[in-house]
Amino acid sequence: LLNEDCVLEEKEALNKYTEIEGIIPKGSLLYKSMLFDENELPDYPTLKLKEGQNVFSLPIDLIKSSGNSLTNNQQIDLLVTIPQKKANPVSDILLSNVRIINIVDRKGVDMKDSETNIPSVINLAINKEYVSLLKKASEIGTIDFYATTQTNSEECTLKQDSAVLKLLNE
């Protein structure tokens, strides 16, 4: 007797994935609850990385998301602002053409599928060598996101003459 969760047709399993820990022993039954579409996988953001990139997550809200106008696969510039003790804050673009992997709500649901429409976390594709800079920037300053128009440029580039770069390297 098969239960209703069993996959009976080959087409129900084609182009589906299991979780990384999911093991389907040879000859065993497939269950619908074991199979996922690519964008439903818990490790979905890492599947979208290019070689030499890491996922970098930052908090985001309705204002930082430009009223939910930022979308998956869009490229943005990251503007870092660092407060100074006895001077005005220093603010400049640190990374350009950073690809948004996805934006999720507080439950981890992609904004395109979210019922709340309130963004909580933005996942970015960051070159590994810039992760420590971005981590420090998020700890000592603020990071804002701005849509870029330079779609033909190399992805995730460091602005070498950024006014905040010297402060982050101290």
Side-chain angles (χ1 to χ4, degrees), residues 57-102:
S57 301
L58 289 165
I60 191 169
D61 57 24
L62 203 53
I63 293 170
K64 283 193 173 204
S65 71
S66 301
N68 278 344
S69 66
L70 299 179
T71 61
N72 298 356
N73 298 311
Q74 182 178 7
Q75 289 191 343
I76 57 174
D77 290 340
L78 302 184
L79 181 118
V80 174
T81 302
I82 299 175
Q84 300 292 292
K85 289 181 181 171
K86 295 182 180 180
N88 289 330
V90 177
S91 190
D92 200 359
I93 300 291
L94 179 64
L95 295 172
S96 296
N97 303 318
V98 174
R99 181 170 42 92
I100 298 172
I101 295 173
N102 66 351

